């Protein structure tokens, strides 16, 4: 399985060029290098701070601490407000040594001088070969330094209650047209049943849907960023889900990972879930009585070719202000490439590793008992190979996500449409770039 997965290149030649350019239009271009002028080991014992959102990460860190008595790591879960907590810590000059940061947030935090360049550490630059190439390109900003190490990726697929589909004699859909038809059939068979839910407060999930359709939000050419959040391909995705929402064929009152979401699944009110590889453990851990009822199949496609999308995936970044860069590199490398650590992260936190060797984990080649012993990671491996390699994130992605999220929530409540939300996010991106003196223009 690993030989095929490691050929994945879903990010990105375009990102490499654009992120190199980004260093020239932010204050971080020189200060990162200055901060990385030394990589000397500490004299005496060291304690590192590592903030993350991964379930069970404290148990992984405990293994490191037992093996490394002179370099202890204290972990803090910040899943309730990940970027708010990090942002406040950065402003107060109290950021941790290491922090989990999503790929889409890296360019935004880069412009805020949030990272330290660890390339002065030979172990950091040597780690490049340990990771799937696209992930390294994003964390090194086009090989301008080493600002983070890749941790996981989020190839998408369709989680289905196969028993519900079978009960109502509805075939598992393979295209989005079939998915819409299945939504109508299921709801007609049981008015209390919906095929899925549309989370109106989750721009990252919606971005994964756009990614699948090659609806690029950013590009870079001629010395300028091209912003195309409201492209025709984006509108195709928005119009599709708007029809399902308007037809009351999907729920809009559930948030991903919420108690209400699990309650709806427990009551057999929702028949499928469009999710990512890291989500496999969510169902296993929160819906134990539904073991054997769930299957994971390829994401419905827009037509021939079978393209897929990516939702999420994270890095472990070297944060500004760290006084122990040498030890941070040691721990970060172990955390994201050591076989024992990777196996625990997959089992406890559901992470789908970005490390090349991580894709060879025995657990990823076996059937998973909760999913009727199906080899679900084969589905995610295939999804990884079918993700658009040209999709890239921009320097104001956080602004876009917030604007998109707010407008999507309004559309789900009947105030405007999802297509309107794209236009709102496009305008927000251009304004934000103008305010920061980042060269940009509307793309096609």
């Amino acid at each position: 399985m690993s030989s095929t997965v490691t050929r994945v290149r879903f990010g990105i030649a375009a990102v490499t060029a654009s992120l190199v350019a980004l260093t020239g239009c932010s204050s971080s271009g020189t200060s990162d290098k200055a901060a990385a002028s030394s990589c000397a080991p500490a004299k005496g014992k060291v304690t590192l701070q590592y903030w993350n959102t991964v379930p069970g990460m404290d148990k992984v860190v405990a293994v490191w601490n037992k093996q490394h008595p002179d370099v202890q790591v204290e972990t803090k879960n910040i899943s309730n407000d990940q970027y708010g907590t990090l942002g406040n810590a950065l402003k107060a000059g109290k950021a941790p040594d290491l922090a989990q940061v999503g790929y889409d947030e890296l360019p935004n935090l880069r412009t805020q001088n949030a990272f330290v360049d660890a390339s002065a550490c030979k172990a950091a630059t040597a780690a490049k070969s340990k990771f799937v190439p696209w992930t390294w390109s994003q964390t090194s900003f086009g090989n301008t330094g080493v600002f983070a190490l890749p941790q996981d990726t989020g190839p998408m697929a369709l989680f289905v209650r196969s028993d519900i589909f079978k009960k109502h004699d509805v075939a598992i859909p393979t295209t989005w047209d079939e998915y819409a038809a299945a939504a109508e059939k299921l709801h007609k068979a049981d008015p209390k049943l919906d095929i899925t839910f549309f989370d109106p407060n989750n721009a990252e999930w919606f971005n994964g849907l756009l990614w699948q359709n090659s609806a690029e939000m950013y590009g870079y050419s001629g010395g300028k960023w091209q912003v195309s959040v409201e492209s025709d391909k984006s509108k195709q995705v928005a119009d599709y889900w708007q029809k399902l929402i308007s037809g009351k064929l999907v729920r809009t009152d559930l948030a991903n990972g919420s108690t209400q979401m699990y309650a709806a699944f427990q009551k057999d009110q929702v028949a499928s879930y469009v999710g990512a590889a890291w989500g496999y453990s969510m169902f296993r851990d929160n819906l134990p009585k539904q073991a054997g009822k769930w299957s994971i199949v390829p994401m419905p496609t827009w037509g021939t070719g079978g393209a897929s999308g990516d939702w999420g995936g994270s890095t472990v970044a070297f944060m500004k202000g760290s006084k122990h860069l040498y030890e941070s590199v040691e721990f970060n490398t172990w955390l994201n490439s050591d076989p024992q650590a990777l196996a625990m992260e997959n089992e406890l936190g559901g992470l789908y590793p970005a490390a090349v060797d991580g894709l060879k984990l025995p657990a990823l080649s076996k059937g998973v008992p909760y999913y009727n012993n199906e080899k679900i990671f084969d589905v995610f491996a295939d999804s990884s190979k079918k993700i658009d390699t040209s999709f890239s994130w921009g320097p104001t992605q956080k602004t876009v996500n917030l604007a998109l999220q707010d407008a999507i929530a309004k559309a789900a409540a009947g105030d405007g449409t999802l297509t309107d939300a794209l236009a709102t996010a496009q305008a927000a991106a251009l304004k934000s770039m103008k305010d920061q003196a980042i060269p940009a223009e509307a793309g096609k």
Side-chain angles (χ1 to χ4, degrees):
M1 181 176 69
S2 60
S3 61
T4 56
V5 178
T6 54
R7 291 197 296 266
V8 177
R9 299 292 187 274
F10 49 101
I12 298 170
V15 137
T16 299
S18 58
L19 287 176
V20 169
L22 178 59
T23 64
C25 61
S26 76
S27 63
S28 56
T30 58
S31 58
D32 286 333
K33 286 293 182 182
S37 60
S38 174
C39 186
K43 297 178 180 179
K45 294 185 178 181
V46 168
T47 298
L48 302 176
Q49 297 291 326
Y50 166 44
W51 295 0
N52 66 88
T53 68
V54 183
M57 189 58 78
D58 56 328
K59 294 181 175 61
V60 182
V61 170
V63 173
W64 165 274
N65 286 339
K66 185 176 181 179
Q67 297 174 355
H68 301 81
D70 291 336
V71 182
Q72 294 292 285
V73 178
E74 295 179 353
T75 182
K76 177 180 178 180
N77 190 293
I78 55 172
S79 56
N80 287 336
D81 185 15
Q82 182 179 4
Y83 296 111
T85 302
L86 273 180
N88 291 335
L90 284 165
K91 290 178 183 177
K94 297 181 179 179
D97 299 273
L98 299 158
Q100 180 183 354
V101 177
Y103 296 103
D104 60 337
E105 287 284 343
L106 285 172
N108 175 60
L109 286 173
R110 168 73 158 146
T111 64
Q112 300 175 42
N113 192 26
F115 308 130
V116 61
D117 178 9
S119 60
C121 301
K122 292 183 179 180
T125 56
K128 179 178 180 179
S129 62
K130 296 179 182 291
F131 299 97
V132 174
W134 80 266
T135 62
W136 186 266
S137 295
Q138 293 206 6
T139 58
S140 65
F141 294 99
N143 291 322
T144 62
V146 182
F147 304 93
L149 295 187
Q151 184 164 75
D152 72 310
T153 62
M156 298 178 74
L158 182 66
F159 296 58
V160 295
R161 277 287 302 275
S162 49
D163 59 323
I164 292 179
F165 278 82
K166 184 176 181 180
K167 174 182 178 181
H168 298 294
D169 195 27
V170 177
I172 304 296
T174 60
T175 68
W176 286 116
D177 284 343
E178 291 177 0
Y179 193 76
E184 291 186 10
K185 292 178 182 178
L186 290 171
H187 195 66
K188 184 177 181 180
D190 181 356
K192 295 182 179 180
L193 176 64
D194 293 284
I195 194 167
T196 194
F197 67 95
F198 183 96
D199 185 348
N201 296 298
N202 199 321
E204 290 83 0
W205 173 76
F206 190 73
N207 290 343
L209 301 177
L210 297 180
W211 192 333
Q212 183 199 24
N213 201 32
S214 298
E216 295 186 26
M217 305 172 79
Y218 293 92
Y220 192 88
S221 64
K224 289 184 177 181
W225 285 88
Q226 312 297 317
V227 183
S228 52
V229 179
E230 58 172 344
S231 68
D232 289 342
K233 285 186 174 292
S234 293
K235 290 177 181 177
Q236 181 183 9
V237 176
D239 289 344
Y240 174 86
W241 286 94
Q242 185 63 54
K243 289 179 180 178
L244 291 179
I245 291 172
S246 298
K248 300 187 182 304
L249 295 174
V250 295
R251 291 181 62 165
T252 58
D253 61 334
L254 302 175
N256 185 66
S258 66
T259 301
Q260 292 80 6
M261 182 197 81
Y262 292 120
F265 282 124
Q266 286 173 343
K267 296 176 183 178
D268 296 344
Q269 294 175 345
V270 181
S272 71
Y273 172 80
V274 182
W278 45 262
Y280 91 93
S281 62
M282 290 170 44
F283 292 82
R284 178 198 66 190
D285 297 342
N286 292 281
L287 299 168
K289 293 183 179 179
Q290 293 186 354
K293 297 181 178 181
W294 285 95
S295 292
I296 296 179
V297 300
M299 193 175 181
T301 65
W302 288 106
T304 58
S308 192
D310 181 90
W311 173 21
S314 294
T315 70
V316 177
F318 299 101
M319 303 302 293
K320 176 184 177 182
S322 174
K323 297 179 181 179
H324 302 293
L325 192 58
Y326 179 89
E327 290 76 19
S328 292
V329 169
E330 279 197 326
F331 169 70
N332 202 345
T333 304
W334 175 88
L335 183 72
N336 293 306
S337 64
D338 180 83
Q340 182 181 7
L342 295 176
M344 291 181 69
E345 290 159 23
N346 173 259
E347 180 184 357
L348 299 172
L351 298 188
Y352 189 73
V356 174
D357 287 345
L359 301 174
K360 304 174 185 176
L361 291 176
L364 299 186
S365 63
K366 297 179 180 178
V368 179
Y370 182 86
Y371 295 93
N372 206 29
N373 287 315
E374 296 172 7
K375 294 185 177 182
I376 63 172
F377 290 108
D378 286 353
V379 178
F380 293 121
D382 189 57
S383 173
S384 294
K385 293 185 293 181
K386 296 179 178 178
I387 296 173
D388 182 5
T389 61
S390 65
F391 196 93
S392 60
W393 304 113
T396 56
Q397 190 66 46
K398 184 175 182 179
T399 298
V400 169
N401 286 352
L402 290 174
L404 191 60
Q405 206 159 279
D406 181 62
I408 285 177
K410 290 179 180 178
D415 182 6
T417 66
L418 296 181
T419 300
D420 296 333
L422 294 173
T424 298
Q426 168 99 358
L430 290 170
K431 182 180 184 303
S432 178
M433 288 181 163
K434 181 179 179 181
D435 291 345
Q436 297 179 57
I438 299 174
E441 62 185 7
K444 296 181 180 180

